């Protein structure tokens, strides 16, 4: 188990759990025993443009309860340092920065990441944190939908990161043993090396992932060399963290069209504003990284 940054709250039974969450016992049991009443299910297009992703979004009252569980319990549990997603102050830039300038990258994607984490596994985590069996089961029921972590609940990313602690520890240990770098951003796993990566090594990584209860999306497994555009969580890392050249061209063209065409719709303008904010975030992170590098050099 990962370490704790602070002591977890003491919750001895279901009555104390209801009090802790600001609920009546009737409300608590309603959330746990009739979850379909409290979720809105819909489909959202994947970023890749291929297919859709099923989103199970909790109602506002349940979301408030889940946020409390996250803040008062899950945020007190330390996740592995190589887990870079859903951390306060972290970003995809921090995840990509680790792999800049490497000879070879190995990218893998965990298939159906949240849905593959079952309710018994979540209940087991709460038990391992010291809660009684009854309280652990109720906490798991509050955080799960259809017997798994829902894509859309505020507790799902934190629970997934904590549950992946052993996976992160094993893969990072493997990477360190071979002078490689390892990071995981949610379901995106990256290992990078200054040496070639053999097929046998890839198979070994997949075996570790399978042993930890996950499966790899074979279509998204990639080995990228310096001759190609090396991408980590959507960012190029060949020489520095940057938006891939092809995407930069598309963005520039979109801004050019918007500047000349006054009939561009509100949704397109908001999309371009989002691009501009994303580019600005990358610039800030690059500046932060350069300052940190100079500071390390002075200390050395």
């Amino acid at each position: 188990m990962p370490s704790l940054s602070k002591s977890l709250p003491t919750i001895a039974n279901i009555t104390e759990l209801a009090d802790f969450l600001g609920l009546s016992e009737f409300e608590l049991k309603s959330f746990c025993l009739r979850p379909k009443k409290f979720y809105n299910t819909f489909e959202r297009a994947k970023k890749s443009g291929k297919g859709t992703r099923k989103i199970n979004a909790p109602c506002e009252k349940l979301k408030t309860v889940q946020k409390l569980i996250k803040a008062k319990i899950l945020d007190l549990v330390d996740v592995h340092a190589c887990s870079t997603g859903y951390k306060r102050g972290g970003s995809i830039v921090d995840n990509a920065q680790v792999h800049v300038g490497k000879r070879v990258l190995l990218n893998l994607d965990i298939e159906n990441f949240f849905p593959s984490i079952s309710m018994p596994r979540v209940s087991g985590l709460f038990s391992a944190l010291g809660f009684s069996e009854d309280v652990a089961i109720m906490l798991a029921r509050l955080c799960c939908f259809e017997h798994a972590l829902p894509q859309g609940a505020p507790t799902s990313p934190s629970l997934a990161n904590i549950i992946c602690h052993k996976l992160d520890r094993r893969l990072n240990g493997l990477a360190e043993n071979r002078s490689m770098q390892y990071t995981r951003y949610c379901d995106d796993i990256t290992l990078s090396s200054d040496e070639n990566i053999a097929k046998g090594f890839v198979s070994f990584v997949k075996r570790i992932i399978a042993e930890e209860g996950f499966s790899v999306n074979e279509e998204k497994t990639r080995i990228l060399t310096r001759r190609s555009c090396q991408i980590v969580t959507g960012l190029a890392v060949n020489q520095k963290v940057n938006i891939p050249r092809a995407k930069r061209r598309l963005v520039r063209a979109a801004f050019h069209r918007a500047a000349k065409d006054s009939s561009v719709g509100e949704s397109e303008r908001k999309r371009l504003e989002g691009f501009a904010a994303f580019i600005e975030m990358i610039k800030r992170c690059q500046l932060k990284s350069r300052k940190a590098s100079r500071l390390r050099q002075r200390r050395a």
Side-chain angles (χ1 to χ4, degrees):
M1 276 298 300
S3 60
L4 302 176
S5 59
K6 294 180 182 178
S7 297
L8 293 175
T10 301
I11 304 171
N13 51 49
I14 302 303
T15 301
E16 289 187 12
L17 176 61
D19 290 341
F20 174 75
L21 297 173
L23 301 171
S24 67
E25 287 193 46
F26 176 78
E27 287 176 311
L28 175 61
K29 290 176 181 177
S30 294
F31 282 140
C32 294
L33 300 177
R34 304 178 70 186
K36 288 187 177 180
K37 285 182 59 178
F38 305 104
Y39 278 88
N40 177 31
T41 299
F42 56 93
E43 301 284 331
R44 179 176 291 170
K46 293 183 178 179
K47 290 182 180 179
S48 63
K50 297 180 181 179
T52 59
R53 190 185 305 278
K54 186 178 179 181
I55 305 297
N56 293 303
C59 70
E60 284 304 314
K61 184 70 181 287
L62 178 55
K63 185 186 290 186
T64 299
V65 171
Q66 291 171 341
K67 285 181 177 179
L68 184 61
I69 293 171
K70 178 182 182 300
K72 300 296 185 180
I73 297 176
L74 301 178
D75 285 353
L76 306 184
V77 184
D78 296 324
V79 299
H80 198 281
C82 294
S83 172
T84 58
Y86 305 111
K87 281 185 177 179
R88 183 173 294 176
S91 71
I92 59 172
V93 178
D94 299 311
N95 182 71
Q97 185 67 47
V98 175
H99 305 285
V100 169
K102 293 296 181 178
R103 182 177 178 181
V104 186
L105 297 181
L106 169 61
N107 287 335
L108 304 104
D109 180 85
I110 298 176
E111 196 163 30
N112 297 320
F113 185 48
F114 290 153
S116 66
I117 298 176
S118 66
M119 187 185 294
R121 201 168 180 182
V122 176
S123 174
L125 168 64
F126 283 117
S127 292
L129 291 175
F131 295 104
S132 68
E133 183 180 356
D134 287 349
V135 172
I137 290 172
M138 292 299 266
L139 283 169
R141 286 180 177 274
L142 288 168
C143 296
C144 292
F145 180 67
E146 295 181 341
H147 306 289
L149 287 186
Q151 181 96 29
T155 43
S156 292
S158 298
L159 283 166
N161 275 344
I162 298 167
I163 285 170
C164 281
H165 189 274
K166 187 181 175 185
L167 171 66
D168 292 331
R169 181 163 48 82
R170 291 184 68 184
L171 290 180
N172 187 56
L174 176 65
E176 287 182 342
N177 189 50
R178 300 189 178 218
S179 300
M180 300 174 70
Q181 298 293 325
Y182 163 75
T183 61
R184 179 183 58 81
Y185 191 97
C186 189
D187 55 357
D188 288 323
I189 288 173
T190 304
L191 292 112
S192 59
S193 175
D194 288 323
E195 305 293 334
N196 289 331
I197 294 177
K199 289 183 179 179
F201 177 80
V202 179
S203 297
F204 187 47
V205 170
K206 289 179 180 178
R207 191 173 82 189
I208 291 174
I209 293 171
E211 288 173 354
E212 294 305 319
F214 299 101
S215 59
V216 170
N217 184 339
E218 297 293 346
E219 292 183 0
K220 293 186 177 181
T221 300
R222 298 281 188 274
I223 294 179
L224 303 171
T225 67
R226 285 174 177 166
R227 294 180 180 179
S228 62
C229 181
Q230 295 175 315
I231 302 293
V232 177
T233 46
L235 297 171
V237 295
N238 293 67
Q239 296 178 325
K240 65 178 182 178
V241 176
N242 207 348
I243 298 172
R245 185 178 299 172
K247 190 167 186 177
R248 291 203 305 269
R249 287 173 179 165
L250 289 174
V251 172
R252 279 198 296 265
F255 275 107
H256 182 71
R257 286 196 302 271
K260 287 195 167 187
D261 187 357
S262 58
S263 65
V264 172
E266 184 64 22
S267 61
E268 177 64 9
R269 291 194 180 277
K270 286 184 177 180
R271 188 173 75 90
L272 292 176
E273 287 173 4
F275 272 133
F278 179 62
I279 293 167
E280 186 60 32
M281 180 199 74
I282 291 174
K283 288 180 179 178
R284 288 197 306 269
C285 290
Q286 287 173 339
L287 180 61
K288 176 183 170 185
S289 177
R290 285 196 293 269
K291 286 181 177 178
S293 178
R294 286 196 294 267
L295 184 59
R296 284 194 299 268
Q297 289 172 358
R298 286 198 213 103
R299 287 175 178 173

